[in-house]
Amino acid sequence: MISRARGASLPETGPGPDDVQVDNVIFSDLHPRVGNRRLEIISGLQKEQKSIDPKYFYDKRGSELFEQITELPEYYPTRTERQILKSNAKAMADCCGHECVLIEPGSGSSEKVRLLLDSLKPAAYVPMDISADFLRRSAVQLAEEKPWLNIHAICTDFAKQKKEPKGLPEGKRVIFYPGSTLGNMRPSEAIGFLENLGHWLNRDGGVLIGIDMHKSSRILETAYNDEQGVTALFNLNILNNINNIAGLNFNADNFAHHAFYNEEKYRIEMHLVSKVNQVVSQGDIEITISRGESIHTENSYKYTTGSFQEIARSSGFSIRSSWSDEQQLFSVHYLELDCGSEKQA
Ligand code: SAH
Ligand code: AVI
């Protein structure tokens, strides 16, 4: 379904105080909410190590909690990456070229792209996110701020988007993938995902990607165990979202947030640990959870320059330019298709 920002695209509740008339936004809903999400959720909960896909963090409340995380003093990735983008916007624009079609999978609030837009002047900006209402609101806000910018917002599950979405304008494709969202995939999934993005690019396209770097466990664990407990609320909220989607009856009060750095696998792991012996049900299905047992909700992989280079290379890309902060906490890279690679179609 494709619609303008006002009118047909508004939520079923009708115009709210946040809705404004903007002509430079198209909103396409590819309905990532249909399909067998219930089955996917239940089968994750029936594994020996119970797990929930981290994409289920992002209902409206989850997206809002994530925005709060980005402002926490402990959560260094967002402010560090913002600083890198701000300081190097011109050099990044030179890599991307002017009037490209800038596609952002997992765009969230579209905050970071604002730091590039004036240097980049893209022909169109394509934010893509699974969190429909949040995407719509963010796109409308950006369109108001930048009336010259053509925005084509697409609600979709980017991991299932094998081909580029239809109906985008002509022009060089640049994929903007900040936030180290790639880090939420296992390395083998990350390679498959980047490889797939490679098929969206014309030969001259590129990927501007943010990657979180390996660092001391203390800094990492502090970032995912903030003092105000916002990350804990974000983690626990996944249960409310899957209750709504799959008709489950989790009580979030029966779980505790647990996040630690797995030094062997270079990843933060987030879990929800059961405080009691409990049974959660959906129709005839019963899921037994023992006291102390965990549900694995997220991995957040951290890379070295060398290990990320290896991921890029294995996906058919080479790194044209890299930027980092003084302390090398975070990095941003511009990737181009490796023309010598056999992976090129
Ligand atoms: N790019 C932003 C937001 C990162 S948070 C930044 O750097 O700050 C990750 C975003 O990806 C969230 O907005 C979430 O809703 C979205 N997301 C996660 N998994 C997704 C999926 N499978 N398909 C589409 N969007 C997804
Ligand atoms: C979106 N993603 C890259 C964040 C991360 O750091 O892995 C999600 C997050 N989880 C806890 N805090 C933030």
Side-chain angles (χ1 to χ4, degrees):
M1 194 247 267
I2 297 185
S3 51
R4 287 276 157 197
R6 195 168 177 88
S9 72
L10 290 175
E12 310 78 69
T13 47
D18 291 340
D19 299 321
V20 277
Q21 175 141 15
V22 270
D23 289 329
N24 51 330
V25 182
I26 292 173
F27 185 86
S28 309
D29 194 342
L30 305 186
H31 299 285
R33 298 167 303 284
V34 296
N36 223 333
R37 295 188 303 166
R38 186 183 146 266
L39 204 68
E40 183 181 69
I41 290 166
I42 302 228
S43 70
L45 293 170
Q46 287 174 329
K47 289 196 203 138
E48 190 167 333
Q49 168 59 72
K50 297 181 169 55
S51 65
I52 305 170
D53 189 311
K55 72 184 175 195
Y56 292 112
F57 281 129
Y58 302 96
D59 60 356
K60 186 160 174 282
R61 169 96 178 122
S63 296
E64 285 164 0
L65 284 166
F66 179 73
E67 281 315 295
Q68 289 180 34
I69 289 176
T70 63
E71 285 163 19
L72 292 169
E74 296 94 336
Y75 194 73
Y76 64 86
T78 307
R79 65 170 177 277
T80 311
E81 188 181 30
R82 283 182 59 91
Q83 197 51 53
I84 298 170
L85 295 173
K86 224 168 159 177
S87 309
N88 299 286
K90 174 122 195 356
M92 291 174 185
D94 287 345
C95 284
C96 300
H98 292 288
E99 303 201 346
C100 66
V101 175
L102 188 65
I103 305 172
E104 182 175 356
S107 49
S109 61
S110 290
E111 266 305 318
K112 287 175 187 159
V113 79
R114 287 169 162 81
L115 302 168
L116 299 177
L117 287 173
D118 290 337
S119 303
L120 217 62
K121 287 272 181 308
Y125 169 56
V126 184
M128 292 173 33
D129 209 285
I130 203 162
S131 190
D133 289 348
F134 199 78
L135 170 66
R136 188 192 312 265
R137 206 177 63 196
S138 304
V140 167
Q141 262 171 17
L142 181 61
E144 275 194 299
E145 271 171 47
K146 308 269 180 207
W148 55 267
L149 181 65
N150 291 314
I151 301 178
H152 188 149
I154 305 179
C155 182
T156 184
D157 180 340
F158 60 60
K160 296 197 172 145
Q161 190 75 47
K162 296 294 168 216
K163 287 191 192 141
E164 172 186 285
K166 286 187 188 141
L168 301 188
E170 294 289 305
K172 174 180 172 179
R173 267 61 177 138
V174 174
I175 292 161
F176 180 46
Y177 195 43
S180 206
T181 305
L182 190 79
N184 296 136
M185 297 178 191
R186 290 173 195 278
S188 58
E189 288 169 333
I191 291 169
F193 179 70
L194 285 178
E195 233 172 22
N196 190 46
L197 286 187
H199 300 308
W200 299 15
L201 305 178
N202 321 334
R203 283 195 168 267
D204 63 344
V207 181
L208 186 63
I209 186 166
I211 295 294
D212 198 7
M213 305 296 281
H214 181 53
K215 58 184 66 64
S216 84
S217 307
R218 188 185 48 79
I219 299 178
L220 287 168
E221 290 187 348
T222 306
Y224 291 81
N225 289 285
D226 65 282
E227 221 168 71
Q228 291 173 55
V230 182
T231 310
L233 289 178
F234 174 72
N235 197 6
L236 289 161
N237 180 64
I238 204 168
L239 297 177
N240 297 327
N241 192 26
I242 64 165
N243 277 349
N244 290 335
I245 294 170
L248 287 153
N249 58 351
F250 274 102
N251 178 354
D253 292 341
N254 287 336
F255 290 87
H257 165 71
H258 181 49
F260 64 93
Y261 190 55
N262 181 331
E263 297 206 5
E264 275 167 29
K265 297 193 167 156
Y266 293 95
R267 68 188 194 196
I268 283 280
E269 291 187 18
M270 291 215 309
H271 293 252
L272 290 167
V273 180
S274 180
K275 295 182 193 167
V276 292
N277 290 326
Q278 52 182 310
V279 178
V280 174
S281 61
Q282 199 283 322
D284 294 344
I285 299 166
E286 290 197 332
I287 297 153
T288 307
I289 311 171
S290 312
R291 181 164 177 263
E293 188 180 351
S294 84
I295 304 175
H296 188 175
T297 49
E298 188 179 59
N299 289 317
S300 192
Y301 281 85
K302 311 302 168 187
Y303 288 97
T304 60
T305 308
S307 63
F308 179 65
Q309 241 166 17
E310 189 53 35
I311 294 279
R313 200 194 53 76
S314 308
S315 329
F317 285 96
S318 53
I319 301 180
R320 171 166 154 193
S321 290
S322 297
W323 301 269
S324 187
D325 55 295
E326 243 174 53
Q327 296 179 69
Q328 310 227 316
L329 294 173
F330 203 91
S331 58
V332 178
H333 308 266
Y334 187 79
L335 313 181
E336 285 175 335
L337 283 169
D338 186 354
C339 292
S341 160
E342 286 170 21
K343 299 200 184 285
Q344 277 247 35

